[in-house]
Amino acid sequence: MRVGPSQEEIRRSNLGALLRSVHLHGAMSRADLTTSLGLNRSTIGALTADLAAAGLVSEGVPREQRGRAGRPSLVVRPESEHVYVFAFAVEVDRIVAARVGLGGVVLDRHAAVRQRGDRSAAQVVAPIADFVRQMQKAAPPGARLVGSAAAVSAMVRREDGFVRLGPELGWVDQPLGEALADVIISTGVDLFPATGVRTAPAGIVPAQRTPQAHDLVDPSGALTRSAQSARPARPGGTDAADDTDEDLGEPDGPEPAPTRALVQVRNNADLAALAEHARGAAVGCDNVVYLYGDAGVGGGIIAAGRPVTGHGGYGGEVGHMVVNPAGKPCSCGSHGCWETEIGEHALLAAAGRNPSSGRDGILAVVDAAGRGDASAQAAVRQVGDWLGFGVANLVNIFNPEMVIFGGTLREVYLASAAQVRSRLNRNALPACREHVRLRTPVLGEDAALLGAAELAFEPLFADPLDFA
């Protein structure tokens, strides 16, 4: 029989909830925290005092109240300059690294062009070592690193950041999580100095305390720690009850390490969806589809406020949804995948442009269409119709409140919105489409990077006192 949470567990859960609120919403008064968290004033006062003593927040009189009569409610602010994470994005054309402070403040950012071609994960992430050294040098004395995470345009095993397939990166079975940890550790950085987890020799991936009941945690914190642990979970994230089904398909690559990766790695579209849900276009929307385009097409899906990533973390590969069985061959080995009709190569080929010209080529085609170029306009209409075709399928399946078009799909959508909406109206069920909003990202090109930062902060919110 399961015993209810102890008073200490409840206290730590409340500390995490309060810290998460300040992280997502910025400076909040004690009165606002009392209302939003449903706790009494004395409890809020005790919690904020604990977090302030741990160096995670600060309290002060509201700036607009200084010098006025009366006793204002103290304002709680995140210690953005002194509590931070490392966030990385490994994309088709660039590598980005950032130091992001508590509260979602980007304190430092570095980027480098990534040349397309067949290079290993270790070779691709090598420039990150210099970025980490520069970011550490810029951090103020006493500042604390509390986590690290990365976004990548690929299918990623959540346990250890092992990339199963990244066609646009030229990767099959690449240990990205291990490569990132090795690079960062080589700089002398202690990835978790506040928790007693020390640096390790290259190739060794120490354990992490991230909650293991699911792969991404909803920024709203809707489930308590006790609710998350109510059912046992297998390493893949599914219920432990039914182990009798026979596995289908190929084995899941090399066996993951028995411990979790120091640097968490997730698909870029999943993390972009997480960021837009927490801070961007989808704030307040609990059912969202985020579509990301570059050389390929990926999707991040949030249903009922929680990410939908599947058994191994490979869910959301909407670009490999077959929409045209007689269509063009796809890099995944299939034919007629959605990305063969709406990806970079599809638009560039339809417009008669160099299919290897990438994002610049996409922008050039969209610009030419806007200036009246007939071939560019025909290409945009064709791709826009296929874009709407796939969106209609996703709307019928997930019934989202919002669909967000990111990466190069942002420009394609803006140039072909009429075709997308027309196809959506023809193919989607009225009950599913009537409330859906089509939007572009508020967080721009760094949505996945900021999503990686949100993921990296999760262990801190799970138990802030672990970092005291």
Side-chain angles (χ1 to χ4, degrees), residues 145-326:
L145 173 67
V146 296
S148 299
V152 61
S153 302
M155 296 178 67
V156 186
R157 186 167 62 196
R158 61 178 165 230
E159 286 93 344
D160 55 1
F162 189 87
V163 172
R164 296 297 313 283
L165 178 66
E168 286 70 41
L169 297 171
W171 287 354
V172 177
D173 290 346
Q174 285 286 321
L176 178 59
E178 181 179 311
L180 283 166
D182 287 347
V183 165
I184 298 171
I185 289 170
S186 73
T187 68
V189 170
D190 190 342
L191 285 175
F192 285 98
T195 65
V197 179
R198 315 312 297 174
T199 55
I204 302 299
V205 184
Q208 186 185 28
R209 304 155 339 285
T210 306
Q212 299 183 24
H214 49 78
D215 60 326
L216 296 179
V217 184
D218 176 18
S220 69
L223 290 185
T224 64
R225 292 175 61 209
S226 57
Q228 291 171 5
S229 59
R231 292 187 301 173
R234 295 190 298 186
T238 58
D239 295 343
D242 186 4
D243 277 345
T244 61
D245 290 343
E246 184 177 353
D247 289 338
L248 300 176
E250 297 298 320
D252 191 24
E255 285 295 317
T259 55
R260 304 271 306 228
L262 277 175
V263 182
Q264 300 186 74
V265 184
R266 300 289 188 275
N267 174 268
N268 62 339
D270 287 336
L271 291 179
L274 183 69
E276 291 289 343
H277 182 235
R279 300 183 177 279
V283 170
C285 295
D286 280 346
N287 296 279
V288 182
V289 173
Y290 182 100
L291 301 174
Y292 180 86
D294 47 30
V297 173
I301 298 162
I302 292 176
R306 301 186 64 77
V308 177
T309 57
H311 170 70
Y314 308 129
E317 289 295 328
V318 298
H320 298 288
M321 171 176 61
V322 175
V323 296
N324 184 7

Side-chain angles (χ1 to χ4, degrees), residues 238-422:
T238 58
D239 295 343
D242 186 4
D243 277 345
T244 61
D245 290 343
E246 184 177 353
D247 289 338
L248 300 176
E250 297 298 320
D252 191 24
E255 285 295 317
T259 55
R260 304 271 306 228
L262 277 175
V263 182
Q264 300 186 74
V265 184
R266 300 289 188 275
N267 174 268
N268 62 339
D270 287 336
L271 291 179
L274 183 69
E276 291 289 343
H277 182 235
R279 300 183 177 279
V283 170
C285 295
D286 280 346
N287 296 279
V288 182
V289 173
Y290 182 100
L291 301 174
Y292 180 86
D294 47 30
V297 173
I301 298 162
I302 292 176
R306 301 186 64 77
V308 177
T309 57
H311 170 70
Y314 308 129
E317 289 295 328
V318 298
H320 298 288
M321 171 176 61
V322 175
V323 296
N324 184 7
K328 296 179 282 291
C330 180
S331 59
C332 72
S334 186
H335 284 74
C337 292
W338 195 25
E339 71 178 42
T340 68
E341 303 292 353
I342 68 170
E344 283 182 2
H345 298 309
L347 180 61
L348 295 170
R353 305 297 178 96
N354 178 2
S356 301
S357 55
R359 182 179 181 82
D360 290 341
I362 294 293
L363 296 176
V365 171
V366 170
D367 180 65
R371 290 185 287 103
D373 183 289
S375 63
Q377 288 178 333
V380 168
R381 284 195 300 270
Q382 175 182 316
V383 171
D385 187 57
W386 278 112
L387 180 58
F389 186 96
V391 167
N393 285 339
L394 296 174
V395 166
N396 284 340
I397 295 169
F398 294 106
N399 188 25
E401 301 162 72
M402 183 178 292
V403 178
I404 304 173
F405 301 90
T408 54
L409 288 182
R410 176 186 182 276
E411 281 68 38
V412 173
Y413 165 70
L414 290 175
S416 63
Q419 284 75 34
V420 173
R421 179 58 76 173
S422 176

Side-chain angles (χ1 to χ4, degrees), residues 129-153:
D130 285 338
F131 295 161
V132 169
R133 291 188 186 98
Q134 294 175 54
M135 291 190 294
Q136 280 293 88
K137 186 176 181 181
R144 287 182 287 169
L145 173 67
V146 296
S148 299
V152 61
S153 302

Side-chain angles (χ1 to χ4, degrees), residues 441-466:
V442 168
L443 302 176
E445 294 183 5
D446 280 344
L449 181 74
L450 296 174
E454 294 298 321
L455 179 63
F457 274 118
E458 281 303 326
L460 176 65
F461 302 141
D463 196 341
L465 295 187
D466 263 3

